[in-house]
Amino acid sequence: MKAGCSIVDKPEGGGGYHFPEWAYKTESSPGSRQIQLWHFILELLQKEEFRHVIAWQQGEYGEFVIKDPDEVARLWGRRKCKPQMNYDKLSRALRYYYNKRILHKTKGKRFTYKFNFNKLVMPNYPFINIRPNGVVPQSAPPVPTASSRFHFPPLDPHSPTDDSQPAARFPPGSLLPSHPEALGDAERKAEGPELEENTSDWRRDLLAPSHPSGSAAAQKRKPDVVLPLFPRPGIFPDHPHSPFAVSPLPGRPGMLNVPISPALSLTPTLFSYSPSPGLSPFAGSSCFSFNPEEMKHYLHSQACSVFNYHLSPRTFPRYPLVVPPLQCQVPLEEQPQFPIKLQPPPAGRKNRERMESPEEAAAGAATPQLPNPPARVKVEPAVEKEEEEALEKRDEVGEEEEKLPVFARPAAPAWIPIPAHPGSSGEEAAEASVEKPSRDSCGDPGNQEKREDALMPPKLRLKRRWNGDSRQEIPEGIPNGIWHLPKAVATASDT
DNA sequence: TCCGGAATAA
DNA sequence: TTATTCCGGA
């Protein structure tokens, strides 16, 4: 039917930019692995051509504004072959990201959202370098500071640091200041064929094929890259350049190659949110080297910025994350498969009323054969509950402890703010902690803490304490070997 | 405008 | 699972 809408063909070897297969697989992982909206948004943001449609908001890390909602929706609709797409729908999809913490809304600013890059990019794409100056011309993502700080050095001998080498980058073409003129209607034209018609194309575009396998590929790619990937062979056997590579460190392929939702897996938060229990992204994901200081700085800024934006109250405190995003200590072989566990986002709260409505039952009687149709009952995941559960689990299951080690180790990045609670990830904590000070209105930080204390098993308490201490200063304990920071690589930019 | 529930598609 | 589609509410 719609010829133009082919989707996903995964970049077989020649793709240039490689996402792990699962990233695009439609079937392999939960949810269709077609391009995800946030991904698409990033794509647009990276491209200058779409600057007038959607662009980074100056001054705010990760914040972007949809200048032309309809157009963005249209583009999205094209990409997904959903001609009926409109901003309302698209925005609904974006809203789903709130809970996932991939995005949040910038209150008060129309059509303005903000990426949680620290979750999205940093941890997962430590190697990604989004720098305003160098690469990204004007639409420099406000994230840069951080990003640039986290410029990771190339492990791969071949690939120079990053910016210059197009080994594998995110959206290559976009960055370039390239044809400003073309941009004008580029959105329509360019995207017409490129974006919608074949994903390969757009992907290529996006992904910046360093290896112009095809002929077409070479055409527009420019040397500049916004998000250089960390090309490290061995991570993903099949996709050496995969940004999703879990970590620059050599790991066990089998383990790392987890089919996780790109979106989810991307964020540390998400880490915990493993869609499928069987997948553990962490094995390697959290391991990458960085400079604690920089990281700290970055997170701080992120946190601050996030802080300013009124996140959905519900999104914040709710996810008891367990794992600190980064730590490489554990020998991969022994690394626990699932050190992290994220509780699913809270369900709605208004449903209960309806749940009981007998009428509905009657209405729906058509199907229900079982006496107890309560299946649809949506449980309200009270935060407390989640926490409790988490604690309980940890308590009961010794195994869970395996995960803990993660925390226990000094590996925990100092920059990671004290976890709001045992289950929270550093990031989460970071945000939360930052938020707390000034943001009481939001929820009940204080109470929560108390509650936590009460509930918290001694072990956790200790851990927490530990974290708290460590937060004060960066533990030197962190062996460089572990965190290995590539010393400065980043530098570059800024300013 | 934005939010989020609910049903549903893929 | 991630959207898409609808929709009521704020």
Side-chain angles (χ1 to χ4, degrees):
Chain A
M1 316 200 164
K2 317 189 164 188
C5 291
S6 68
I7 317 192
V8 190
D9 44 337
K10 53 188 202 178
E12 301 271 34
Y17 174 88
H18 304 283
F19 279 95
E21 279 184 51
W22 53 261
Y24 294 106
K25 271 192 186 163
T26 335
E27 341 95 61
S28 75
S29 13
S32 62
R33 274 320 141 212
Q34 297 181 12
I35 186 171
Q36 288 186 304
L37 179 54
W38 65 266
H39 220 120
F40 177 75
I41 295 292
L42 274 179
E43 178 184 333
L44 295 181
L45 285 167
Q46 307 293 342
K47 298 194 172 194
E48 268 203 34
E49 305 101 273
F50 304 105
R51 271 238 300 149
H52 47 291
V53 175
I54 183 173
W56 293 112
Q57 180 90 72
Q58 291 286 328
E60 279 303 328
Y61 295 160
E63 189 173 289
F64 63 92
V65 57
I66 296 175
K67 298 176 178 175
D68 186 343
D70 293 330
E71 184 58 18
V72 171
R74 195 148 38 230
L75 293 171
W76 176 234
R78 284 188 190 176
R79 175 64 68 74
K80 295 294 293 291
C81 297
K82 294 285 178 185
Q84 308 304 315
M85 182 54 59
N86 57 35
Y87 179 70
D88 181 59
K89 294 170 185 173
L90 180 147
S91 64
R92 181 70 191 88
L94 289 177
R95 271 176 254 133
Y96 274 123
Y97 288 144
Y98 297 173
N99 276 338
K100 292 190 172 82
R101 314 191 76 230
I102 288 172
L103 275 185
H104 63 261
K105 183 77 181 64
T106 296
K107 301 272 176 166
K109 294 185 187 173
R110 282 178 26 160
F111 309 127
T112 303
Y113 299 82
K114 189 174 178 193
F115 273 105
N116 257 345
F117 270 122
N118 52 334
K119 304 192 168 249
L120 248 177
V121 179
M122 292 326 309
N124 301 289
Y125 302 81
F127 19 83
I128 288 178
N129 176 29
I130 308 177
R131 27 174 94 191
N133 336 1
V135 189
V136 187
Q138 335 138 338
S139 53
V143 192
T145 338
S147 313
S148 28
R149 294 183 185 277
F150 293 120
H151 193 185
F152 294 69
L155 295 182
D156 187 344
H158 315 61
S159 48
T161 323
D162 11 330
D163 331 306
S164 20
Q165 268 308 347
R169 307 163 181 244
F170 219 131
S174 22
L175 325 178
L176 322 175
S178 4
H179 2 301
E181 9 165 51
L183 309 183
D185 37 8
E187 45 180 282
R188 287 197 180 108
K189 299 182 176 179
E191 85 118 320
E194 288 185 45
L195 292 183
E196 51 182 15
E197 301 231 340
N198 46 11
T199 15
S200 333
D201 266 0
W202 65 260
R203 192 172 303 140
R204 245 178 272 142
D205 236 8
L206 198 52
L207 308 183
S210 29
H211 353 322
S213 39
S215 29
Q219 18 178 351
K220 36 168 93 201
R221 312 319 121 90
K222 313 195 168 167
D224 287 317
V225 180
V226 181
L227 306 175
L229 300 185
F230 201 149
R232 207 260 172 20
I235 298 176
F236 266 96
D238 29 342
H239 303 284
H241 302 291
S242 171
F244 290 80
V246 195
S247 100
L249 303 177
R252 299 149 78 178
M255 237 172 136
L256 304 181
N257 202 359
V258 216
I260 304 172
S261 153
L264 294 182
S265 59
L266 295 181
T267 66
T269 318
L270 304 181
F271 278 180
S272 8
Y273 191 117
S274 75
S276 33
L279 318 173
S280 148
F282 311 156
S285 6
S286 14
C287 300
F288 53 79
S289 2
F290 63 92
N291 181 321
E293 284 292 339
E294 293 183 353
M295 181 62 99
K296 195 176 177 185
H297 180 100
Y298 167 75
L299 286 179
H300 178 71
S301 58
Q302 275 287 307
C304 289
S305 92
V306 164
F307 173 49
N308 293 323
Y309 291 96
H310 198 245
L311 292 180
S312 247
R314 49 175 345 197
T315 45
F316 240 173
R318 300 235 171 177
Y319 303 69
L321 298 183
V322 181
V323 183
L326 315 167
Q327 60 216 335
C328 309
Q329 280 280 266
V330 190
L332 293 175
E333 295 116 32
E334 320 213 332
Q335 237 178 27
Q337 288 262 7
F338 302 92
I340 306 166
K341 203 167 221 165
L342 179 52
Q343 310 301 319
R349 33 186 104 152
K350 304 179 180 179
N351 341 316
R352 21 180 142 169
E353 335 169 341
R354 310 200 62 200
M355 290 180 42
E356 309 147 264
S357 148
E359 296 182 83
E360 276 208 340
T367 29
Q369 323 167 329
L370 302 179
N372 55 337
R376 33 189 337 203
V377 174
K378 244 184 182 174
V379 178
E380 282 203 37
V383 175
E384 298 87 3
K385 198 174 184 182
E386 288 181 2
E387 287 177 8
E388 281 179 56
E389 281 183 18
L391 291 176
E392 274 185 315
K393 278 183 191 168
R394 244 167 264 149
D395 235 13
E396 319 182 36
V397 185
E399 211 179 315
E400 294 281 3
E401 290 184 11
E402 298 289 301
K403 308 173 180 179
L404 296 184
V406 175
F407 288 101
R409 308 182 183 233
W415 47 270
I416 292 185
I418 300 175
H421 42 82
S424 53
S425 74
E427 289 206 36
E428 199 107 23
E431 288 183 32
S433 71
V434 172
E435 189 177 31
K436 273 183 189 175
S438 37
R439 203 182 165 59
D440 339 25
S441 48
C442 194
D444 35 49
N447 288 332
Q448 201 167 317
E449 270 201 6
K450 287 173 189 171
R451 263 186 310 208
E452 290 169 11
D453 265 306
L455 297 172
M456 201 177 304
K459 201 187 272 179
L460 290 176
R461 216 170 290 166
L462 283 176
K463 198 207 300 183
R464 190 184 190 184
R465 206 167 295 163
W466 181 85
N467 280 329
D469 287 340
S470 63
R471 151 176 81 170
Q472 325 249 337
E473 53 193 331
I474 295 184
E476 305 182 325
I478 298 179
N480 256 336
I482 299 176
W483 293 94
H484 243 135
L485 284 182
K487 238 155 198 181
V489 188
T491 32
S493 8
D494 184 81
T495 331

